Amino acid sequence: MATLAERSRRAVWHPCTQMKRLDDEPPLAIVRADGPWLHDDQGRRYLDAVSSWWVNLFGHNHPAMRAALVAQFERVDHVMLAGLTHEPVVELSERLGALTGLGHAFYGSDGASATEIALKMSAHSWRNLGRPAKCEFVGLAGGYHGETVGALSVTDIALFREAYAPLVRLSAALPSPDARTAAPGDDAKAHAARCAAALEAYLAEHHERTAALIVEPLVQCAAGFAMHDPEYLRRARALCDRFEVHLICDEIAVGFGRTGTLFAHQQAGIRPDFICLSKGLTGGVLPLSAVLTTDPVYASFWDDRASRGFLHSHSYTGNALACRAALTVLELFERDDVLARNAQTAQRLDALLAPLAQHRAVRHARRLGMIWAFDVESDVPGFSGAYHRRALAEGLLLRPIGNTLYFMPPYVLDDAALEQLAGGALRALDAALGS
Ligand SMILES: *Cc1c(COP(=O)(O)O)cnc(C)c1O
């Protein structure tokens, strides 16, 4: 009998994977997921310390989530959202509006589709306002906003983009305020100001053709957890106002408490023109994304002519089950005072991680909210893969990005899990470095 892993290799094309490599490293076959734990078909369990690609917030198989989804299924599972509506999508839109100060929630299924929606809405809005030349976008070096062809135009990660370069209309990528790259003598805030000056110079020259600036507020996760000072966002907001350019905050990875506040941009005290949400939006149980925007952007589409409307759609737009999952997430944030509890969890894990942070090979140990990152100085070839395997042996699911080791765990780690994470991550590091 073929194992699940063997059948998967034959039948499934796995994401972000050179399939040939699976010959040596078959996928783990997960047969049960519970809380922060993943159980495989060999009877082993792993701590899901990357939240299943940054989506899971409250662990797997959460009782409140299960109950809410079963009850929703019994009422309305899915209906189309053109010409119809339903309670979960209305209530979710109202609540997201109240939480962000934006509104007019438009739904997609994945993060990349949220990026597409925001880019299209921004350019179309300018067009409706009689400024069709404003149809270009600008992002940051190392920015990641998804991998569909439109989203790739603002994703500045060569490995994901190179093969498709002829298909993509590249956007400018401006210096990233990544605090690690500050010049000697500059702190994170001064570095943010310098990078904002580069944005100012760019917009001064190109604002007439620029529809929007898109940024990942506070942490560029896919770039290797590059963190920046909120000063950059404040200055970017002011520059976007001055040059009449939309500011899109891609909160797909950093939203829902990852950075310590419900949304990352809130730490800068700014209001973007668009917010993209996905990943944690449903607590990691169903695909859903949302784009929120301002009244003026919405008003620019309000017209008797259909062509001036936003004629964009996905079949599963506003899926009732996914919206119910998202509402359950918001209820759990309130019910369990999650942000305050996370602040305590983070301090406990900080203390346990001191030996890792001080490890001789570790540079730039950093944390924001519930995101930890450590750059490992090592010339071990394939460090990331080696680390991944050593971590699995410690019962930890961890996937470094290049030489950057990171944790983005679900918010439900008890003391035993925290100790296993900190101890195992350190042992895996020594093992991967061969010491
Ligand atoms: C993951 C991610 C996306 C893309 O989301 P998908 O659901 O994978 O398409 C976009 N932006 C950021 C910041 C992300 O981390």
Side-chain angles (χ1 to χ4, degrees):
M1 262 281 280
T3 63
L4 265 185
E6 283 160 357
R7 286 163 55 200
S8 192
R9 252 168 24 188
R10 273 182 238 134
V12 180
W13 199 331
H14 287 264
C16 202
T17 298
Q18 169 49 266
M19 289 298 291
K20 187 159 189 282
R21 291 219 183 130
L22 292 191
D23 285 350
D24 300 327
E25 226 178 304
L28 290 179
I30 302 303
V31 293
R32 191 160 63 85
D34 206 32
W37 300 103
L38 306 178
H39 302 263
D40 75 5
D41 60 353
Q42 310 293 309
R44 286 179 303 230
R45 73 170 193 176
Y46 304 93
L47 187 69
D48 186 1
V50 296
S51 294
S52 286
W53 253 356
W54 318 347
V55 300
N56 191 284
L57 296 183
F58 300 118
H60 299 273
N61 196 12
H62 192 288
M65 187 64 83
R66 203 169 51 229
L69 288 178
V70 169
Q72 182 59 48
F73 195 87
E74 286 168 355
R75 279 172 295 172
V76 179
D77 48 7
H78 174 76
V79 293
M80 62 192 280
L81 202 63
L84 307 177
T85 195
H86 52 78
E87 190 199 305
V89 77
V90 172
E91 202 180 319
L92 178 61
S93 306
E94 288 170 352
R95 295 196 62 177
L96 291 175
L99 288 167
T100 60
L102 299 185
H104 315 292
F106 195 101
Y107 293 92
S109 310
D110 295 286
S113 62
T115 299
E116 303 277 345
I117 289 162
L119 298 181
K120 284 179 67 178
M121 250 185 204
S122 169
H124 193 170
S125 173
W126 290 119
R127 180 186 174 85
N128 283 348
L129 293 168
R131 303 176 71 178
K134 285 172 84 69
C135 62
E136 293 175 6
F137 303 101
V138 56
L140 295 182
Y144 182 90
H145 303 286
E147 294 171 53
T148 52
V149 173
L152 272 180
S153 73
V154 286
T155 285
D156 182 44
I157 295 185
L159 181 64
F160 297 151
R161 187 155 88 173
E162 242 158 41
Y164 315 104
L167 313 183
V168 174
R169 193 186 73 169
L170 284 191
S171 300
L174 300 181
S176 161
D178 179 355
R180 293 171 300 176
T181 59
D186 274 358
D187 62 8
K189 190 169 176 187
H191 184 56
R194 253 184 232 285
C195 293
L199 172 63
E200 179 174 10
Y202 180 87
L203 291 180
E205 194 176 341
H206 299 282
H207 66 96
E208 280 171 6
R209 302 196 55 79
T210 304
L213 164 70
I214 183 165
V215 295
E216 296 156 86
L218 300 189
V219 190
Q220 292 180 284
C221 298
F225 294 85
M227 298 186 182
H228 60 253
D229 192 277
E231 178 69 9
Y232 187 80
L233 301 173
R234 282 189 287 272
R235 293 192 181 225
R237 175 69 277 178
L239 290 168
C240 285
D241 285 340
R242 187 168 123 210
F243 289 110
E244 296 186 292
V245 166
H246 292 139
L247 174 61
I248 304 173
C249 279
D250 175 350
E251 295 255 4
I252 291 166
V254 294
F256 298 97
R258 294 290 185 194
T259 67
T261 44
L262 192 60
F263 300 112
H265 72 270
Q266 292 169 334
Q267 293 183 40
I270 59 153
R271 200 182 70 148
D273 299 293
F274 295 88
I275 300 175
C276 300
L277 302 172
S278 190
K279 292 200 166 116
L281 174 59
T282 63
V285 303
L286 285 167
L288 181 70
S289 62
V291 176
L292 301 160
T293 190
T294 61
D295 293 341
V297 167
Y298 181 72
S300 69
F301 289 85
W302 183 267
D303 199 272
D304 289 327
R305 285 161 288 180
S307 62
R308 288 171 64 102
F310 190 58
L311 305 185
H312 180 103
S313 64
H314 297 286
S315 309
Y316 281 99
T317 293
N319 176 267
L321 287 165
C323 289
R324 177 59 64 195
L327 283 166
T328 307
V329 163
L330 296 179
E331 278 153 26
L332 287 173
F333 265 100
E334 273 182 18
R335 189 193 82 180
D336 298 344
D337 200 4
V338 170
L339 296 176
R341 205 185 55 193
N342 280 356
Q344 293 172 3
T345 305
Q347 278 190 359
R348 283 209 299 281
L349 189 52
D350 274 348
L352 293 167
L353 285 173
L356 180 67
Q358 288 152 21
H359 191 281
R360 63 188 157 71
V362 166
R363 307 284 177 271
H364 299 293
R366 55 199 181 278
R367 169 173 77 84
L368 187 65
M370 288 290 283
I371 302 175
W372 287 258
F374 310 83
D375 298 343
V376 177
E377 201 166 82
S378 151
D379 35 31
V380 171
F383 168 79
S384 168
Y387 189 92
H388 171 69
R389 288 187 292 276
R390 298 298 188 160
L392 286 178
E394 297 286 343
L396 302 173
L397 180 66
L398 288 169
R399 293 170 53 112
I401 296 181
N403 276 25
T404 299
L405 165 62
Y406 75 91
F407 314 132
M408 203 202 268
Y411 305 158
V412 289
L413 302 183
D414 61 15
D415 284 338
L418 292 174
E419 278 163 28
Q420 179 170 344
L421 176 55
L426 182 63
R427 287 189 294 275
L429 180 59
D430 280 327
L433 294 174
S435 54

